[in-house]
Amino acid sequence: MKGRPATISPYPDGPLIVRGDVELLSADGTPIPTRRRTVALCRCGLSSIKPFCDGTHKAAGFRTE
Ligand code: FES
């Protein structure tokens, strides 16, 4: 089924928000299951549930500017 194209938006001082139908793959090509059509991907490198954001960026003071 084709819908709107997926989008990726940077959240200020936080994760990348991915909306839409996408297939997430690990570095070796293994599919990473997602439960939602919107996911937040860590870009601070500190999440304990990579590739997803767990909110650690806030406590770490991650800045994107
Ligand atoms: S961006 Fe949120 S934990 Fe890394």
Side-chain angles (χ1 to χ4, degrees):
M1 178 161 99
K2 273 206 164 196
R4 294 177 55 182
T7 61
I8 302 173
S9 305
Y11 191 86
D13 301 330
L16 296 173
I17 306 300
V18 181
R19 294 181 177 90
D21 292 325
V22 296
E23 184 178 20
L24 291 180
L25 303 174
S26 68
D28 68 2
T30 303
I32 299 171
T34 58
R35 288 175 282 180
R36 299 179 178 155
R37 291 189 77 240
T38 299
V39 295
L41 299 179
C42 176
R43 66 175 167 159
C44 75
L46 300 172
S47 175
S48 61
I49 56 168
K50 293 181 189 89
F52 304 106
C53 170
D54 68 356
T56 301
H57 62 270
K58 290 181 188 171
F62 178 68
R63 295 284 179 254
T64 56
E65 300 290 324

